[in-house]
């Protein structure tokens, strides 16, 4: 009997010890699973990265690596763990103006409603009607997206005090977008970034594209996907409200072969993300590289972006020539001003005496994402200390173009009369590498009939407390 009592006492002590040791960890893990609050604290050190995405068939060859060994990852973000992507309810068409109650997402605040509204914006000189959709999640994030260029016209996210600001560059009306738009907020295609001399050969046939950037082809040509009117369909995801945009690029349009049927779905999620899903199919072999060209300024467009701290999950980048065409080399960033494996203010080294920065007039390069191109993973994290805003970029793409607004020169006045001076916005364009159609050692951008082009990129927003500044 005494023995039995002793056994029970020992069992009790063991259980108590286990509870004391593991309970705090359990609580921490449980915390990660909570729906995002308006002010999501992020200490920038050990962010839980638990996303996964599909593998694009054309990426099965994998991503080339530089010859030398890779650097050790500097942040938790450099070696992300994975979790299944949030399950989405079967997308269904919802009527514009139909609010979706907060209860749908199972959250606690129930203060605001996920919502999507539409209003006529304007029309193009060809008489095409352009609509403006307003998406809102239950935490107060708002995105305005127009059907011309699938452009994100505004994006309101909270700072660490909960104050909402528009953190993207753009205009308040269509006329100004038509007059001069350096791709503010647009979907870029059929091929994002440059193709050398506007030429490539596919299956023995040479194709010629417009030279709209010196002697090179840039961002899909003269009338790329940023300058066409997309068909739109509001959708409801279990995880947020979205807008499905569709465009059929005709065979030979801008010189590219094949009718390319494209669908880009923006979703404003309940996790404070702007998620972009790209889908395309073709009826002839072609090349495809779609991206989003948002210009971000996490201060709410109060000043330039040089104080923003950026981390890129990339040990190498693709150096370019003077025309910003990759040379084909994959160069390690270590020991160069291109090294953003540790968070560094954009302005710290942008003026360095480094040939690549001279060619780009600053940062305007493709970084090769560590382990990129296979599953959805962290590509970049940007932090703005005065507002506490944090933006993370997750993608299934193998590369990211970090462009720091070098061509902005104060000649554009955007929304609210704000003058967009030099380096007033930065872009993080997830992509396949520039000029891939002419670079056999880069991951392929060829899409063939019967294959599906499928990629996902997420811009995720949170804030960090000032007290947690490093
Ligand atoms: C990309 C290019 C830049 C520039 C901008 C738009 O980021 O790499 O060189 O063309 O788009 O101005």
């Amino acid at each position: 009997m005494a023995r039995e009592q002793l056994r029970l006492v020992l069992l009790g002590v063991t259980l108590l010890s286990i509870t004391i040791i593991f309970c705090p960890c359990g609580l921490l893990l449980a915390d990660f699973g909570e729906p995002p609050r308006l002010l999501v604290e992020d200490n920038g050190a050990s962010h839980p990265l638990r996303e996964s995405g599909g593998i694009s068939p054309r990426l099965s060859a994998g991503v080339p690596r530089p010859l030398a060994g890779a650097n050790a990852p500097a942040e938790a973000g450099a070696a992300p763990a994975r979790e299944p992507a949030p399950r989405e309810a079967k997308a269904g068409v919802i009527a514009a103006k139909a609010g979706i109650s907060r209860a749908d997402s199972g959250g606690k605040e129930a203060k605001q409603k996920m919502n999507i509204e539409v209003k006529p914006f304007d029309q193009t000189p060809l008489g095409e009607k352009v609509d403006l959709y307003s998406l809102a999640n239950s935490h107060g994030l708002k995105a305005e997206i127009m059907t011309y260029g699938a452009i994100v016209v505004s994006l309101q996210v909270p700072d660490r005090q909960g104050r909402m600001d528009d953190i993207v560059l753009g205009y308040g009306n269509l006329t100004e977008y038509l007059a001069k738009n350096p791709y503010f907020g647009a979907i870029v295609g059929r091929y994002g970034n440059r193709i050398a001399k506007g030429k490539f050969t596919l299956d023995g046939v040479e194709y010629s594209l417009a030279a709209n950037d010196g002697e090179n082809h840039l961002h899909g040509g003269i009338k790329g996907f940023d300058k066409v009117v997309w068909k739109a369909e509001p959708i409801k995801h279990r995880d947020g409200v979205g807008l499905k945009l569709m465009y059929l690029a005709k065979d030979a349009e801008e010189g590219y072969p094949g009718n390319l049927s494209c669908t880009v779905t923006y979703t404003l999620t309940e996790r404070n993300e702007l998620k972009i899903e790209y889908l395309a199919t073709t009826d002839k072999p072609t090349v495809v590289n779609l991206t989003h060209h948002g210009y971000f300024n996490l201060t709410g467009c109060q000043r330039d972006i040089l104080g923003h701290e950026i981390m890129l999950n990339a040990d190498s980048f693709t150096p370019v020539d003077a025309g910003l065409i990759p040379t084909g080399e994959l160069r390690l960033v270590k020991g160069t001003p291109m090294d953003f494996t540790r968070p560094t203010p954009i302005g710290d080294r942008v003026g360095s005496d480094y040939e690549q920065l001279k060619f780009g007039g600053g940062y305007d390069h493709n970084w090769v994402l560590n382990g990129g191109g296979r599953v959805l993973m962290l590509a970049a994290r940007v932090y703005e200390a005065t507002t506490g805003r944090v933006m993370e970029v997750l993608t299934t793409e193998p590369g990211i173009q970090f462009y720091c607004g070098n061509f902005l020169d104060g000649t554009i006045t955007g929304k609210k009369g704000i003058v967009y001076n030099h380096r007033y916005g930065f872009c993080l364009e997830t992509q396949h590498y520039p000029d891939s159609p002419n670079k056999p050692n880069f991951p392929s951008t060829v899409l063939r009939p019967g294959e599906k082009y499928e990629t996902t990129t997420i811009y995720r927003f949170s804030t960090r407390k000032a007290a947690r500044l490093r």
Side-chain angles (χ1 to χ4, degrees):
M1 190 60 193
R3 219 173 178 192
E4 183 57 19
Q5 276 172 347
L6 185 63
R7 208 173 67 81
L8 283 173
V9 169
L10 279 176
L11 187 68
V13 170
T14 313
L15 282 174
L16 193 64
S17 315
I18 290 171
T19 310
I20 289 167
I21 293 166
F22 289 107
C23 218
C25 304
L27 286 174
L28 279 176
L29 289 173
D31 259 4
F32 292 154
E34 288 283 301
R37 273 165 259 128
L38 202 60
L39 290 174
V40 181
E41 185 184 312
D42 178 319
N43 63 19
S46 59
H47 200 281
L49 271 176
R50 296 173 297 173
E51 300 281 347
S52 77
I55 303 170
S56 166
R58 69 209 176 91
L59 293 179
S60 53
V63 178
R65 309 301 309 162
L67 292 175
N71 299 341
E75 290 209 349
R82 291 166 199 161
E83 80 172 7
R87 270 173 298 138
E88 279 163 4
K90 200 175 155 207
V93 180
I94 56 164
K97 296 200 170 170
I100 303 158
S101 94
R102 177 72 173 98
D104 276 9
S105 68
K108 289 174 192 159
E109 296 96 331
K111 288 203 176 102
Q112 306 181 48
K113 282 182 173 183
M114 290 200 288
N115 193 41
I116 181 161
E117 294 180 358
V118 62
K119 64 177 183 197
F121 199 42
D122 205 337
Q123 58 177 36
T124 68
L126 296 174
E128 301 152 296
K129 209 166 80 56
V130 175
D131 288 330
L132 183 72
Y133 285 83
S134 306
L135 281 60
N137 78 0
S138 72
H139 306 292
L141 268 75
K142 287 191 180 121
E144 285 182 310
I145 301 166
M146 69 162 151
T147 51
Y148 177 81
I151 289 174
V152 176
V153 172
S154 71
L155 184 59
Q156 304 258 351
V157 305
D159 69 5
R160 64 162 70 90
Q161 254 79 52
R163 201 188 104 129
M164 292 290 176
D165 267 318
D166 185 0
I167 52 118
V168 294
L169 273 51
Y171 300 109
N173 58 70
L174 181 65
T175 313
E176 287 174 297
Y177 280 101
L178 293 171
K180 182 179 182 181
N181 182 15
Y183 308 96
F184 287 151
I187 292 297
V188 169
R190 174 177 313 203
Y191 195 96
N193 214 281
R194 294 174 177 79
I195 295 179
K197 299 192 170 75
K199 288 198 188 314
F200 68 96
T201 301
L202 179 57
D203 297 340
V205 182
E206 187 182 83
Y207 295 94
S208 283
L209 315 166
N212 60 332
D213 185 59
E215 59 174 6
N216 300 319
H217 176 85
L218 176 68
H219 290 334
I222 296 172
K223 190 171 179 182
F225 293 2
D226 59 299
K227 295 182 188 69
V228 300
V229 179
W230 296 62
K231 284 205 176 80
E233 193 179 292
I235 56 167
K236 174 190 171 186
H237 281 254
R238 176 172 166 174
D239 194 33
V241 283
L243 188 63
K244 187 170 163 183
L245 293 146
M246 290 147 289
Y247 178 65
L248 175 70
K250 299 268 168 54
D251 186 20
E253 187 172 313
E254 291 296 318
Y256 293 97
N259 289 298
L260 187 78
S261 168
C262 300
T263 303
V264 172
T265 305
Y266 286 104
T267 305
L268 197 57
T269 76
E270 285 299 272
R271 292 145 59 105
N272 287 354
E273 302 161 331
L274 180 67
K275 174 157 92 177
I276 313 177
E277 291 161 295
Y278 303 85
L279 186 68
T281 53
T282 184
D283 61 0
K284 274 187 193 167
T286 189
V287 293
V288 192
N289 190 28
L290 305 179
T291 191
H292 173 69
H293 208 302
Y295 284 66
F296 299 93
N297 183 324
L298 301 184
T299 68
C301 304
Q302 309 284 314
R303 67 190 85 84
D304 68 39
I305 47 81
L306 296 174
H308 289 54
E309 232 179 50
I310 183 164
M311 185 285 294
L312 296 174
N313 182 16
D315 292 334
S316 54
F317 74 108
T318 51
V320 290
D321 64 16
L324 298 185
I325 296 292
T327 58
E329 183 197 354
L330 271 66
R331 186 182 297 173
L332 288 173
V333 295
K334 199 174 181 159
T336 79
M338 314 303 272
D339 188 353
F340 286 99
T341 51
R342 291 181 185 281
T344 311
I346 295 173
D348 270 19
R349 301 165 304 175
V350 69
S352 301
D353 186 16
Y354 185 65
E355 190 183 50
Q356 285 298 311
L357 290 173
K358 307 261 180 258
F359 287 162
Y363 297 109
D364 189 357
H365 297 79
N366 170 67
W367 270 258
V368 175
L369 295 170
N370 293 335
R374 292 182 178 87
V375 291
L376 188 66
M377 53 179 289
L378 186 76
R381 180 183 293 126
V382 187
Y383 171 59
E384 202 288 304
T386 65
T387 59
R389 289 195 179 96
V390 177
M391 180 174 90
E392 290 173 311
V393 185
L394 297 95
T395 190
T396 57
E397 288 280 24
I400 195 163
Q401 186 83 11
F402 167 43
Y403 166 63
C404 67
N406 308 309
F407 296 125
L408 298 176
D409 58 4
T411 53
I412 290 179
T413 300
K415 286 171 280 185
K416 297 185 188 153
I418 297 172
V419 176
Y420 296 151
N421 287 316
H422 196 214
R423 298 183 180 144
Y424 216 77
F426 66 90
C427 305
L428 286 168
E429 304 152 60
T430 55
Q431 61 184 5
H432 270 53
Y433 313 160
D435 201 31
S436 294
N438 295 307
K439 298 283 186 305
N441 62 320
F442 286 179
S444 173
T445 50
V446 174
L447 184 72
R448 297 184 180 278
E451 292 179 344
K452 256 189 194 170
Y453 172 97
E454 256 182 311
T455 73
T456 301
T457 291
I458 291 174
Y459 296 92
R460 178 184 289 168
F461 300 95
S462 58
T463 61
R464 197 184 293 175
K465 282 181 185 167
R468 308 282 298 256
L469 279 177
R470 289 167 311 110

